[in-house]
Structure formats: C-alpha cells, structure tokens
Amino acid sequence: MIAIILFFLIGVLIGITSSLFGFGGGLIVVPILYAFLPETIPADYVMHTAIGTSLAVMIINSLNSTLNHAKKGNVQWSIFKFFFLYIALGSLLGGFLAYFFTSDILRFAFIAFLIYVILSSVIKKTFIGQAADDFQFPSHPKAVTTGVGIGTVSTLLGIGGSVMTIPYLRNRGLSMLHSVALATPLGLPIAIVGTFMYLGLGLQVADMPVSTIGFIYLPAVVGFVLGGFIGVPLGRRIAQKLPDPLFSKVYLVLLVIVVIMMIIG
C-alpha cells in the first residue's frame, strides 16, 4: 500500500505531463522505475520491466488525455487517420525486436535517442519559434516510413510516440497545443501493442516476482493510473494557456532533465 500511495503521488505528475506534453507517462515512468524497481526484479530485466510498465500506464493516460483534449477541439483527426495505421505497424515491429536487446543496450539507446531529439530540435529554429499552425501533409511513401519508424522506436524504448511525433508535427507547421493533442491518440497503438508484447515476453521469464505480470510491475500501474485521473485535466488546462514559443522551450527543458536522470541512473 505504501508503494501504491507513493506511485499515486508520482502519477499525478505523470498525468500532468501526459496531457501537457503528450508523453503518456513514458519519459517520466521509465527513469523512475529504472531507479526504484524492487530488487526482486532480475537485474537483466529491470529496463524491460520499466518499459513494459510505462507502456501499460500509457494506455489509460493516453485515452484520458485524448478525451480531455478532444472536448476542447484540440485533436486534428485528419492527421491522426493519416498516420495511425503506419504507427501501429511499427509498434508490432518494435515489440518483436525488444526481446533481442539487453537492459543496458535499451537504456543507452534511450539516452542517445533523447540527446538526438534535443539537439536536432534546438538546431531547427522552426521548433522553438512561433508555429503557423498549418500542417503540411507528406506523401504516402514518406508517411509510411515516418509512421513505421515512430512506432518501432517508440515501442522498443517505451517512450510513447510524443518524443518523435511532436518534433515531426511541429517542424511541419503545427502548433505545440495541437501537436501535443495529436501525440496522445497516436501513442495508443504504441502503448497497446507494446504492452501486450512486453507482457508476453515477460511471461517467458521464470524468475519474475508475483508483483508483476510479464514485464509489467502492478503496484506502479495502479498508483500511476489513479494519480493520472487527477493530473491529466490539470495538464490540459495549462496547455491551453501556454504561449506557443514558451511551450516548445519548456518541452525541451523537460527532455534535458529526463536525460540527466537516466545518465545518473
């Protein structure tokens, strides 16, 4: 119960970041669980369990956040329909590949990818400037490559789609508010497919503790999800009020904090 209460308090923060930055919890859940998962989790599967738990939490938070943003008309469904299937296909590929990577490799890949996102976003001035909010649709071949790539990497690292979709949508002319609102429903196929993949892979590991189902740590899921029902509406209200250039800069600062947390370990 003590663990669930602590995870509940953290879950409020996760809920805020879910609807404010479209994270769905992944960027917060993975570093926290990597540091605080109990010693009963086999060392070789700590990162796998952190990622699997993150994806499970993402399902509820993404649904909750999507509903909150949709009520305010922030979700542009035409863009969602354009990318959804391709991201779902990439999610299947990422979940399959996860079995072939060690915990340390996944951790270092997580850190390296976030550093790349931060540096590329700073270099491209379109990310931190004022967006025209006029999305430029890519050709279908490019959409396939982008969607499958987002789904594969996001599921493999348990970060949800926002770290890739928000910079992509932003650089193609969409505002931060609409980019974030789209990142949550686009993260659903990643969360659903990834959760079942990590659950199935974890069930094949004999020495996982009773507090888990596959690579999903149940006390964290319960606490994070309950806290999210308080945090998600708060995050959406903040997102509605933030000026676009400030919104993008805060997003990048949070990514830097997450990278530092993962490096410290």
Side-chain angles (χ1 to χ4, degrees), residues 15-24 59-71 75 180-181 183-185 228 232-233 235-236:
I16 292 173
T17 61
S18 176
S19 55
L20 180 57
F21 298 108
F23 288 163
I59 295 176
I60 305 300
N61 276 355
S62 293
L63 284 170
N64 194 1
S65 181
T66 298
L67 290 173
N68 269 270
H69 277 291
K71 288 177 182 178
V75 182
V180 166
T184 51
V232 164
R236 197 268 307 154

Side-chain angles (χ1 to χ4, degrees), residues 139-151:
S139 64
H140 275 284
K142 289 183 179 179
V144 172
T145 303
T146 300
V148 171
I150 288 172

